[in-house]
RNA sequence: GCGCCGAUAGCUCAAUUGGCAGAGCAUUUGACUCUUAAUCAACAGGUUCCGGGUUCAAGUCCCGGUCGGCGCACCA
């Protein structure tokens, strides 16, 4: 079948509804429009036919008559899902349905597969994710989820632009993956004959740009972590990281709650909304609690990084966690937090004062040597963001990397590698700086009320089907 | 990677205790000048995810595998 190379569409379904809302049943307008979309319903009835044309804005009825419509017989044989371009007058039928009275029409593209049951659509997860294009068309809520994701990212950019941030890009191919504790994907560069890792975080590169003089920067980009999938984890996901010179973690907390609340306002028009049937309040300011406060409350006794290690280990063992010999009180505190608190945190909250032991890139707390000026935001029982006053002392940074190396030697799987280039960058002078990372997919999940991260990723990572 | 659950027509789903594999929609054919998930009539549509096994008989029971969902782990 030869199909046209273009079609002079001049309006959308929703525009027709807005413009001719007042037209009476049986009324004519004399206005000829050219609309395009897919035919999703078709009711042929002898010498009349009614179709429902769906475009990106909504739907409009097509009203075809054998006396008026070119190639009427063929029109009645259109398949559901076919793209058509239609030209005709806007009328309202006797029964009151606003319609385009089809004068001429053409198939723009055939649909050789159907879009599922016209009532139930497509619900099989495997089919939906492997052929997302069909899911997106068949299930408007899928399209809405992705549209909301897009609106979230747009809002983030706009709010940062308003605050004089500039957007930058840093390498995805890295000789040394760093900036987080995670296993990387490894790939190979042929010309250099060397292996590169896909980035697990852009963090170190971004701070090097601050050293270079960019005082307010952000990057929105894909990061890759070689780990399992879950309703909240995709091996490649989108992260926004931003850095502000001269700020500390407390300045960054204010920005975090403002920007996230701003996203909710611009996408949903409110900072109070429902996530999975439960009210969620994004209104700033957000609660702030130290990790040790939360843990102490949960276990019913005072626990801090200065607590007795054996006691903390016992508390963890009682809760079924296998305690490693290499863990200090900092790691134990965080493990306790994860076991006793994380899942119960619903409205966004800054969990502050992270142990130094688990925060190799964050600056030492000004009031406690075993803590850092680091927070993580938890919301709906999961981590949403991570921020801190950046460690800008090259000597301390070297010592932290060396601690990581010791952990690796002690058998820890995921630790940071010593990055000499990064230490050298710090030696050129990183001003006091605060940094923030937000999991964009997770933020989008909350805003789009998506139960599963795959819903807000256009093409989530799937296991390929094996041959045979 | 481990555990639980699932996979039946293009789509959405049925199928009693192990007893001839079905419906609606879509497709095909026909009727119909105001339909709204149009209606009516008819035809067609199956490697019951794949491979073994038990049985007179397997969609159903058993074993192995594939993919997916959820939980755990890994990870944030």
């Amino acid at each position: 079948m030869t199909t046209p190379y273009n079609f002079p569409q001049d309006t959308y379904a929703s525009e027709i509804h807005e413009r001719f809302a007042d037209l009476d049943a049986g009324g004519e307008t004399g206005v000829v429009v050219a609309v395009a979309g897919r035919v999703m319903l078709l009711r042929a009835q002898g010498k009349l036919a009614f179709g429902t044309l769906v475009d990106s804005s909504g739907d409009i009825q097509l009203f075809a008559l054998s006396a008026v419509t070119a190639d009427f017989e063929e029109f009645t044989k259109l398949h559901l899902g076919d793209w058509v371009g239609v030209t005709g007058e806007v009328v309202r039928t006797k029964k009151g349905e606003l319609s385009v009275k089809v004068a001429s029409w053409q198939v723009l593209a055939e649909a050789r597969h159907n879009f599922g049951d016209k009532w139930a659509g497509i619900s099989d997860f495997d089919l939906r994710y492997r052929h997302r294009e069909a899911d997106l068309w068949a299930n408007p809520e899928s399209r809405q989820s992705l549209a909301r994701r897009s609106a979230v990212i747009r809002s983030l950019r706009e709010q940062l632009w308003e605050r004089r941030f500039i957007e930058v890009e840093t390498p995805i191919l890295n000789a040394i993956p760093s900036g987080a504790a995670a296993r990387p994907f490894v790939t190979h560069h042929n010309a250099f004959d060397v292996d590169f890792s896909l980035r697990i975080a852009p963090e170190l590169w971004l701070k090097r740009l601050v050293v270079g003089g960019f005082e307010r920067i952000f990057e929105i980009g894909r990061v890759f972590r070689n780990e399992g999938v879950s309703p909240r984890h995709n091996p490649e996901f989108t992260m926004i990281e931003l850095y502000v010179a001269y700020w500390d973690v407390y300045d960054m907390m204010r920005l975090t709650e403002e920007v996230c609340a701003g996203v909710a306002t611009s996408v949903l028009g409110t900072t109070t909304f429902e996530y999975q049937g439960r009210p969620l309040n994004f209104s700033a300011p957000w609660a702030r609690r130290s990790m040790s406060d939360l843990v102490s409350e949960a276990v019913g006794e005072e626990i801090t990084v200065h607590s007795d290690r054996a006691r903390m280990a016992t508390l963890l063992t009682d809760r079924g966690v296998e305690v490693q010999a290499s863990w200090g009180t900092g790691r134990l505190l965080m493990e306790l937090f994860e076991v006793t608190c994380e899942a119960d945190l619903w409205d966004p909250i800054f969990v502050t004062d992270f142990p130094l032991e688990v925060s190799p890139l964050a600056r030492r707390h000004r009031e406690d040597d075993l803590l850092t000026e680091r927070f993580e935001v938890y919301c709906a029982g999961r981590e949403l963001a991570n921020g801190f006053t950046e460690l800008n002392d090259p000597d301390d940074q070297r010592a932290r990397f060396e601690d990581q190396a010791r952990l690796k030697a002690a058998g820890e799987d995921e630790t940071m590698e010593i990055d000499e280039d990064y230490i050298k960058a710090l030696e050129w002078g990183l001003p006091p700086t605060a940094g923030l990372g937000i999991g964009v997919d997770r933020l989008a999940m909350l805003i789009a009320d998506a139960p599963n991260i795959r819903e807000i990723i256009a093409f989530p990572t799937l296991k390929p089907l094996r041959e045979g």
Side-chain angles (χ1 to χ4, degrees):
Chain A
M1 173 188 289
T2 306
T3 53
Y5 284 72
N6 68 353
F7 180 77
Q9 178 204 34
D10 62 16
T11 188
Y12 292 92
S14 64
E15 272 182 22
I16 296 172
H17 283 289
E18 283 160 28
R19 186 168 164 200
F20 300 103
D22 296 334
L23 188 62
D24 292 328
E28 302 188 343
T29 63
V31 175
V32 173
V33 296
V35 291
R38 290 189 192 266
V39 179
M40 293 312 291
L41 296 170
L42 191 60
R43 302 172 288 278
Q45 187 183 309
K47 295 192 170 63
L48 291 183
F50 303 88
T52 301
L53 182 82
V54 178
D55 68 14
S56 61
S57 75
D59 56 69
I60 183 75
Q61 178 165 272
L62 302 177
F63 178 29
L65 303 86
S66 64
V68 173
T69 302
D71 303 316
F72 176 81
E73 280 299 315
E74 284 69 34
F75 184 89
T76 65
K77 293 182 175 118
L78 281 168
H79 285 174
L80 301 191
D82 284 346
W83 291 97
V84 293
V86 171
T87 303
E89 183 189 357
V90 177
V91 300
R92 196 178 287 279
T93 59
K94 288 181 203 165
K95 292 291 176 68
E97 187 72 29
L98 193 65
S99 309
V100 173
K101 190 160 77 177
V102 182
S104 64
W105 62 280
Q106 50 194 318
V107 173
L108 304 179
E110 295 180 81
R112 294 190 185 178
H113 306 287
N114 70 30
F115 285 96
D117 186 274
K118 68 184 174 186
W119 192 240
I122 298 173
S123 56
D124 180 73
F125 282 105
D126 212 30
L127 180 58
R128 287 186 55 223
Y129 293 141
R130 286 189 196 281
H131 285 286
R132 202 71 197 281
E133 62 283 357
D135 168 52
L136 288 168
W137 184 273
N139 300 314
E141 59 278 13
S142 288
R143 238 177 306 163
Q144 192 195 34
S145 292
L146 289 191
R148 285 200 170 159
R149 175 201 182 89
S150 174
V152 164
I153 292 171
R154 173 186 177 143
S155 173
L156 288 169
R157 279 206 172 92
E158 285 176 345
Q159 292 187 75
L160 293 175
W161 288 337
E162 283 166 14
R163 291 171 171 83
R164 304 182 56 148
F165 282 77
I166 65 168
E167 183 168 6
V168 298
E169 294 177 283
T170 62
I172 288 174
L173 297 177
N174 287 262
I176 300 175
S178 199
R183 274 177 295 182
F185 287 92
V186 179
T187 187
H188 188 75
H189 185 255
N190 291 335
F192 291 176
D193 190 24
V194 345
D195 285 345
F196 280 112
S197 295
L198 304 188
R199 68 177 172 195
I200 55 177
E203 174 151 354
L204 303 194
W205 293 112
L206 290 170
K207 282 184 274 193
R208 289 170 72 166
L209 290 175
V210 179
V211 171
F214 290 99
E215 293 174 342
R216 294 186 173 208
I217 52 171
F218 72 95
E219 175 164 12
I220 295 174
R222 209 70 63 82
V223 298
F224 307 84
R225 298 188 182 178
N226 206 335
E227 59 198 35
V229 300
S230 87
R232 290 163 297 281
H233 300 264
N234 197 63
E236 54 178 300
F237 61 100
T238 299
M239 169 150 248
I240 180 169
E241 282 203 10
L242 55 98
Y243 291 84
V244 186
Y246 320 124
W247 278 17
D248 67 12
V249 72
Y250 305 104
D251 301 311
M252 190 56 88
M253 282 192 260
R254 281 188 289 278
L255 181 72
T256 304
E257 62 199 7
E258 275 173 31
V259 165
C260 289
V263 165
T265 301
S266 77
V267 181
L268 300 176
T270 176
T271 54
T272 56
F273 50 97
E274 284 204 349
Y275 181 65
Q276 299 297 294
R278 192 170 157 190
L280 194 54
N281 186 356
F282 258 44
S283 311
W286 293 350
R288 301 182 182 195
R289 297 290 302 282
S290 75
M291 181 180 284
S292 55
D293 275 0
L294 288 167
V295 169
S296 300
E297 200 170 282
V299 302
E301 65 184 90
E302 168 130 8
I303 295 292
T304 74
V305 274
H306 300 285
S307 296
D308 178 58
R309 187 186 182 282
R311 176 59 189 155
M312 295 172 78
T314 302
L315 288 170
L316 271 174
T317 308
D318 289 349
R319 287 166 175 77
V321 178
E322 197 178 325
V323 174
Q324 306 296 313
S326 60
W327 294 357
T329 56
R331 176 68 183 267
L332 293 170
L333 181 67
M334 193 178 75
E335 295 285 336
L336 274 169
F337 168 77
E338 288 178 355
V339 173
T340 63
C341 306
E342 178 171 355
D344 300 326
L345 299 173
W346 186 258
D347 281 332
I349 179 174
F350 292 104
V351 178
T352 63
D353 300 344
F354 267 59
L356 183 104
E357 185 182 346
V358 296
S359 310
L361 300 170
R363 188 161 173 172
R364 205 173 290 269
H365 199 287
R366 64 195 82 182
E367 290 165 6
D368 189 329
D369 269 358
L370 292 185
L371 299 178
T372 56
E373 298 202 351
R374 175 185 175 193
F375 68 80
E376 284 188 345
V377 173
Y378 286 83
C379 182
R382 63 191 75 141
E383 185 197 340
L384 181 62
N386 178 19
F388 39 88
T389 307
E390 301 297 334
L391 174 55
N392 62 348
D393 177 335
D395 300 323
D396 195 359
Q397 185 65 72
R398 179 181 296 281
R400 304 284 192 90
F401 280 148
E402 283 167 355
D403 286 343
Q404 292 284 304
R406 271 193 287 280
L407 284 175
K408 184 162 205 161
E412 283 287 324
D413 250 12
E414 281 116 27
T415 65
M416 288 188 203
E417 308 255 343
I418 297 180
D419 187 332
E420 291 292 345
D421 277 343
Y422 178 63
I423 292 171
K424 188 164 184 179
L426 292 182
E427 288 169 353
W428 260 294
L430 176 69
T433 297
L436 170 69
I438 302 175
V440 170
D441 311 86
R442 291 197 176 167
L443 180 59
M445 282 174 72
L446 297 173
I447 298 294
D449 194 18
N452 189 309
I453 198 170
R454 292 188 265 290
E455 292 295 330
I456 48 85
I457 294 174
F459 298 100
T461 306
L462 294 176
K463 198 163 178 175
L465 296 174
R466 265 196 218 178
E467 293 275 330

